[in-house]
Amino acid sequence: MTAFINTPAFKALIGLVIFYIGLKTFAGGVKSMGNSEDLQSFISNPYWMFIGGIVCTLLWQSSSLSTTTIVALVSSGVLPLPSAIAAVLGANIGTTGTIWLAGFFVSDGMPTGATRQIAIIHTGVNALMAATLLPFVQPIARFISKF
C-alpha cells in the first residue's frame, strides 16, 4: 500500500482533487462576494474593475483564473458586461507581472537583455490594447450583447 501512495500518479490524483476543492471553494466565495451591497459601486464602475483585474491577476498570477471568475460572475448576473470587459483588459495587464517576476528570478534582479525586451514588449502591447479599448467598453458591450 505504501508503494502505491508514493507513486507519481497517486500524488497527481490527490493534487487534482485538492485543486478541484479549492477551485469550488474559491468560486463560491467570489460569487457570494459579488452579492454584497458594499461592492456595488466598485462592480458597476468599469474603471475600478480594470484596476481590480490588474490587482487580482498580479496577486494570484493567473489571468486564466481571473477571466474564468469574471465569466462566472457575468453569467450569474453579478457583474455587468462593461465592467467585465474592463476587468479582462486589466487581467491582461496583470498577467505581464508574471513575466517580470520570472525575469527577476532568472536574472537575479531586474531583468536584462532579451528577457527585459520581451517583458517590455509584452507589457507595452497589453497596455496599448487596454488604453485603446478601455474608453469604449460601453459600445463594445452593446455590440457583444447582440450575440
Side-chain angles (χ1 to χ4, degrees):
M1 182 68 171
T2 306
F4 177 70
I5 293 174
N6 290 328
T7 62
F10 181 76
K11 290 178 182 178
L13 181 64
I14 294 298
L16 285 172
V17 168
I18 292 170
F19 176 75
Y20 178 76
I21 292 168
L23 193 57
K24 291 298 268 182
T25 304
F26 174 79
V30 168
K31 192 171 182 179
S32 67
M33 215 174 66
N35 292 329
S36 172
E37 294 295 322
D38 299 334
L39 293 176
Q40 278 310 101
S41 61
F42 176 76
I43 288 173
S44 62
N45 185 331
Y47 294 101
W48 279 117
M49 287 302 296
F50 173 72
I51 293 169
I54 293 171
V55 170
C56 287
T57 304
L58 282 171
L59 287 175
W60 53 57
Q61 292 296 302
S62 173
S63 60
S64 298
L65 179 59
S66 296
T67 304
T68 301
T69 304
I70 292 163
V71 168
L73 289 172
V74 170
S75 69
S76 67
V78 172
L79 188 62
L81 189 56
S83 295
I85 293 168
V88 169
L89 290 172
N92 284 336
I93 299 280
T95 197
T96 64
T98 305
I99 195 166
W100 285 102
L101 190 63
F104 183 81
F105 287 118
V106 168
S107 303
D108 293 327
M110 192 64 175
T112 58
T115 305
R116 182 179 184 167
Q117 293 167 347
I118 291 168
I120 289 171
I121 292 299
H122 187 225
T123 304
V125 167
N126 284 334
L128 181 63
M129 179 188 62
T132 303
L133 295 177
L134 191 59
F136 302 104
V137 293
Q138 297 290 347
I140 292 169
R142 280 194 301 274
F143 177 74
I144 290 174
S145 65
K146 292 178 183 178
F147 297 103

